Every structure is written in C-alpha cells, then in structure tokens.
Amino acid sequence: MFQPWYVDTGLDEVLGSINEEYYRSKGWLKPHQRHGDDVHGLLILPDDDNTVFSRGRAKGTTKSDPKLFLEAMRELADQPSVTEPTIALSVRLLNLAHINSQPPARIVLAVSAVETVAQDENWTDEQRALIKNLAVEIEDPEVKEAVKRMHMHKISILQGIKRVLDNNSLGHLWGEWKDLYERRSRFFHGGREFTRQEIQKLASDALKLCGKIILGIIKRTGLKLPSVASVNFRGI
C-alpha cells in the first residue's frame, strides 16, 4: 500500500495534528479513515478518499476601540521609524509585555524594556578619575585592588536607569521606579509571599510606569507620539 510522505521547504515541521484514536472514539473519524496533518510544505497522500482534514471556526472580540489603534497608525504613518536598536528592542519587549496574559511574564518583560536602555551606561571620565584617586588613599591591598577595578566595569543597572531618567527629563519618575524595582525584587527573589491581587497590581504598575519611561525617551528623540499615548500613559 502506498504510504503518505511529506516534502517540506527545509523546516520539516508539522504545524498541527490530532490524536486519531481519540477522534475515532468520538465517532469523528471512521476506522478506515486517516487524518491529514497540517504540514508546512508539500503533503502527498494516497488518492483513495480516506484522508480527512480538520476544519474549525473561530471568532475574536476586542475590548478596546479599534478606532484608537487605527488613528494612532494614521498619525505615525508619516513619521520615521525608531532606528536606535536599543530603543527598538525596548519597544518590542514592552509590546510583548502587553500581549502576554501571565502577570509574572508581564513584570519581567516590562522591567526588561527599561533595563535595556540602561545596559550600555558607563562611568564618566570624572567618575573614573575619582575612583583612581580614591584607590590611592586606601591602604588595604585587596580593597585597593577592588576599587581600582571598578572603573573597568559598567555602572549598575539601577545607576544606569537613574542616569537615563535624568538625561531624558524623567527624573521625577525615579521614586516610582525604585518602588517598582524593590517590589519586583521581593517577588522574584523571595522575602515574602505575594497574593494574587498584589501580583496583578505589580504587573499593572510595571506596564504603566515602564511604558511611560520608554515613550518619554522616544519623545525626547524628536518623534511625535500618537495622541492616544497621553490617554494610556498620563504625564508623558
């Protein structure tokens, strides 16, 4: 008997399949029938009319007014795209945070969007000079060596974020960021058990604050934000 075989365009990936025995137990697949998988590529099967494919229907709904989205797209149509790779990555992480349904994932992605823009911050020349001068005054050889090595490393993420906020006229958000970051650290690194309501609140606060920071940075680059941004992120 001729056996079915597949030719795929290099991915060798079945995108969808079913449990045939379960379908037969429900009467949806007769004993002599086979189910054709959803294959990305060319699917070759015997020409015996015994292959069936699943077909379903789906209906989607939205809780947001699509007019706001379409208006934002219209406003952005004539503007250049974000070209700075770091900022573009932050926007992508923020979008992933918004579409994720799991609060812990939302927290991680939203906070990472802000951390991304601060990862390249380094000591200034003045700070490097102060570190070297400080090392001269230290007598303990191990501490002296540790201080001398400080200028070789980047500043901490928290320091970098503070600098980014200050450089983008967002310094007034520093207190909110510290509170958010402390709660995030307690949630992921222990300290106490968070209730479901507290996790939901933390995720909501992370989306709002991190979105406000990223959009504030984009605004400082000269790009005009769509009008709906001021509705969802007040104060930018």
Side-chain angles (χ1 to χ4, degrees):
M1 179 179 179
F2 181 78
Q3 296 295 322
W5 56 281
Y6 309 96
V7 176
D8 190 84
T9 57
L11 296 177
D12 193 24
E13 182 180 10
V14 177
L15 301 182
S17 62
I18 60 112
N19 185 324
E20 290 190 353
E21 294 305 318
Y22 176 77
Y23 265 47
R24 288 193 177 93
S25 70
K26 292 293 184 179
W28 300 333
L29 196 65
K30 296 178 181 179
H32 66 282
Q33 291 179 323
R34 71 181 72 85
H35 185 272
D37 291 337
D38 180 12
V39 178
H40 181 201
L42 179 64
L43 174 62
I44 299 177
L45 295 165
D47 186 16
D48 56 10
D49 296 327
N50 291 328
T51 302
V52 297
F53 294 88
S54 298
R55 184 174 61 182
R57 294 181 179 179
K59 183 173 67 174
T61 59
T62 176
K63 297 181 180 179
S64 300
D65 187 352
K67 292 180 180 178
L68 298 176
F69 173 75
L70 295 175
E71 179 63 20
M73 294 294 291
R74 186 191 67 78
E75 293 179 33
L76 294 172
D78 296 329
Q79 289 202 79
S81 302
V82 175
T83 56
E84 173 60 43
T86 300
I87 298 179
L89 176 58
S90 292
V91 172
R92 184 177 184 185
L93 290 171
L94 194 61
N95 286 337
L96 289 173
H98 274 278
I99 66 175
N100 201 293
S101 61
Q102 297 299 317
R106 287 186 165 195
I107 298 166
V108 170
L109 290 166
V111 171
S112 295
V114 177
E115 290 178 328
T116 296
V117 298
Q119 64 183 352
D120 294 327
E121 293 294 325
N122 291 304
W123 300 107
T124 64
D125 292 339
E126 293 79 6
Q127 288 173 327
R128 293 178 188 274
L130 285 172
I131 292 172
K132 291 180 180 180
N133 292 336
L134 178 61
V136 173
E137 303 296 328
I138 298 175
E139 296 183 359
D140 186 294
E142 293 180 348
V143 176
K144 179 190 288 286
E145 186 61 27
V147 172
K148 288 171 64 177
R149 287 199 304 268
M150 284 178 61
H151 78 279
M152 300 172 60
H153 303 282
K154 296 178 181 179
I155 61 178
S156 70
I157 286 292
L158 207 56
Q159 290 172 312
I161 291 172
K162 188 176 190 312
R163 182 183 292 175
V164 168
L165 293 179
D166 290 339
N167 291 342
N168 289 277
S169 300
L170 298 170
H172 59 283
L173 298 177
W174 174 242
E176 291 183 55
W177 172 261
K178 282 186 63 179
D179 174 70
L180 176 71
Y181 206 76
E182 288 170 2
R183 285 190 288 149
R184 169 259 183 199
S185 297
R186 287 199 301 270
F187 173 60
F188 285 108
H189 303 302
R192 69 176 181 83
E193 191 77 16
F194 275 60
T195 65
R196 179 179 297 181
Q197 290 75 17
E198 287 177 318
I199 298 173
Q200 294 279 8
K201 178 73 164 54
L202 179 56
S204 176
D205 291 346
L207 288 175
K208 291 177 182 177
L209 180 58
C210 296
K212 188 181 295 186
I213 292 173
I214 297 303
L215 291 179
I217 294 173
I218 292 175
K219 187 177 181 180
R220 288 281 293 178
T221 66
L223 293 178
K224 182 181 177 182
L225 300 177
S227 54
V228 70
S230 62
V231 177
N232 295 324
F233 301 95
R234 298 186 184 277
I236 60 172

